[in-house]
Amino acid sequence: MQRTALVVGVSGIAGSHVARQLVADGWDVYGLARRPQADLGAVKPVAADLLDTESLKNALADVSPTHVFITTWMRNATEAENIRVNAAMVRNLLDALSSKKTVRHVALVTGLKHYLGPFEAYAQSGTLPETPLRESQPRLPVENFYYAQEDEVYAAAERDRYTWTIHRPHTVIGMAVGNAMNLGTTLAVYASICRETGRVFQFPGSEAQWNGLSDVTDARMLARQLVWAADTDAARNEAFNIVNGDVFRWNWLWYKLAAWFGVQAAGFSGTMQPLETSMQNDHALWREIAQRHGLVEADLDRLASPWHTDLDLGRPIEVMTDMAKSRKLGFLSYQATDESFFDLFARLRAARLIP
């Protein structure tokens, strides 16, 4: 049967990569965003605001997907507001598609905050989860907008009789502009600033992250798992972790990243050195760098998300993820993490996003 995908959040890291993977695999693909990119290739753009039900209904009038991939969220000031807004986005979308009766499967991308909780909760509660993180671990007794998003998917799937999968990546590494969570590009911009100014490429995070084991998720790995799950009967109605398949320590990787850019690196200094502080006055500097090197994006905030990188690298525990569940069902893809970063840096340079 012909498969038609609706990728929600197609302009982001996860959404853009899954859209490319689906096109490569021969799917008919629609990509929804408030402002879809102009360079989506074979992806048909759908411009809509998930919080505007009338806009959403009109935008989806001629779209009848068999599979829906939800890869978007909106950051708010409090977790209560995160829950209200992000649950509404999922609910509005699935309600708008309900009457079509064409949807066979919905995939939702969340993340490891499913296990860790909002940063404020796990950093201050004194209750830290066991690692490696496994899908069998129960929900935490705290407010979490990921849980609210999942519950909207479960309710709609039961109502409309389709299957679902949940996908929980660690930090996603991939190229996207204007994304709210972008550690790879943030570090590329930070290293580029260090090279231009002679600053030291200082690790910003915690001792636990510097010395502990970690993993990340290449956006291409996430895309492969999303498409695999959509095509695999045994994956139906299951939640899956998704990471590259290797583990590393930042005290090894940090120096390799610095070497790629030709900058001097410094490790954990005894206290955290947040990027949000060290980069807060770099907006004018980045505009100068962009002009000098002919870069296509002069707005630092469109490329870097220091606040999110600080959350990832400032965790008080080592964080690694168990992949046994999907491995047992046949998902066997692997990606070396250092190459994930190097591939990203090369793509950013080729696209004239960094010098």
Side-chain angles (χ1 to χ4, degrees):
M1 295 177 64
Q2 176 61 37
R3 296 170 301 174
T4 300
L6 174 63
V7 179
V8 182
V10 73
S11 297
I13 294 177
S16 60
H17 283 82
V18 73
R20 292 189 194 102
Q21 184 69 53
L22 290 163
V23 167
D25 289 350
W27 291 56
D28 188 24
V29 183
Y30 290 84
L32 186 150
R34 280 179 293 177
R35 293 177 293 277
Q37 300 163 225
D39 58 344
L40 293 176
V43 178
K44 304 174 184 68
V46 178
D49 182 344
L50 294 175
L51 293 174
D52 184 339
T53 56
E54 192 63 27
S55 157
L56 193 55
K57 179 181 177 181
N58 292 335
L60 294 174
D62 297 323
V63 182
S64 299
T66 59
H67 294 69
V68 181
F69 300 86
I70 304 172
T71 70
T72 190
W73 73 289
M74 183 180 295
R75 185 189 183 199
N76 296 274
T78 66
E79 193 62 16
E81 192 66 4
N82 277 333
I83 290 170
R84 185 188 69 79
V85 170
N86 288 285
M89 289 164 63
V90 174
R91 182 171 60 254
N92 292 344
L93 170 72
L94 299 181
D95 285 353
L97 295 171
S98 181
S99 63
K100 297 176 182 292
K101 307 301 181 186
T102 60
V103 176
R104 305 203 301 263
H105 182 77
V106 171
L108 171 68
V109 176
T110 60
L112 295 196
K113 286 192 291 296
H114 181 92
Y115 310 107
L116 301 171
F119 182 74
E120 303 82 8
Y122 77 76
Q124 298 177 12
S125 68
T127 302
L128 301 175
E130 292 183 356
T131 58
L133 303 169
R134 293 181 170 86
E135 297 94 339
S136 59
Q137 291 173 219
R139 288 184 175 184
L140 299 171
V142 296
E143 290 188 323
N144 192 323
F145 80 85
Y146 284 167
Y147 303 161
Q149 287 183 309
E150 286 184 359
D151 289 343
E152 293 294 345
V153 170
Y154 301 153
E158 182 175 1
R159 177 191 67 200
D160 295 332
R161 298 291 184 259
Y162 50 70
T163 61
W164 53 265
T165 49
I166 309 297
H167 303 262
R168 298 170 184 157
H170 196 168
T171 301
V172 180
I173 305 301
M175 191 167 85
V177 176
N179 194 271
M181 301 187 296
N182 203 331
L183 180 143
T185 302
T186 298
L187 293 183
V189 169
Y190 175 48
S192 298
I193 289 172
C194 289
R195 190 178 59 190
E196 293 287 322
T197 61
R199 292 186 205 169
V200 173
F201 186 58
Q202 173 69 56
F203 181 74
S206 68
E207 183 176 14
Q209 282 291 299
W210 178 247
N211 291 318
L213 289 171
S214 190
D215 50 28
V216 298
T217 306
D218 191 302
R220 296 167 295 187
M221 282 285 290
L222 175 57
R224 289 176 203 140
Q225 193 193 62
L226 284 160
V227 178
W228 164 82
D231 278 336
T232 302
D233 288 342
R236 300 288 187 267
N237 301 335
E238 297 284 352
F240 296 106
N241 293 333
I242 173 62
V243 287
N244 282 355
D246 62 358
V247 293
F248 65 91
R249 300 183 199 276
W250 281 104
N251 62 22
W252 167 80
L253 183 59
W254 195 253
Y255 294 100
K256 294 177 74 72
L257 303 186
W260 198 94
F261 284 96
V263 295
Q264 180 185 351
F268 179 68
S269 64
T271 59
M272 289 195 287
Q273 307 284 331
L275 285 180
E276 193 166 22
T277 300
S278 62
M279 297 179 70
Q280 65 183 345
N281 297 319
D282 286 339
H283 292 78
L285 172 62
W286 186 254
R287 286 193 293 272
E288 294 172 8
I289 292 171
Q291 182 176 15
R292 184 161 64 249
H293 292 279
L295 305 183
V296 298
E297 183 54 74
D299 185 350
L300 185 64
D301 291 334
R302 294 269 298 157
L303 294 174
S305 50
W307 68 272
H308 185 263
T309 298
D310 287 338
L311 293 184
D312 275 357
L313 299 185
R315 290 171 176 153
I317 55 171
E318 66 177 13
V319 178
M320 51 187 165
T321 312
D322 181 74
M323 279 278 289
K325 187 175 181 180
S326 60
R327 298 294 194 216
K328 289 177 181 178
L329 296 178
F331 181 73
L332 303 178
S333 293
Y334 168 85
Q335 170 67 46
T337 288
D338 55 347
E339 294 175 4
S340 289
F341 280 95
F342 300 154
D343 290 350
L344 170 63
F345 298 160
R347 289 179 64 197
L348 291 170
R349 185 165 284 172
R352 292 191 297 123
L353 288 165
I354 62 171

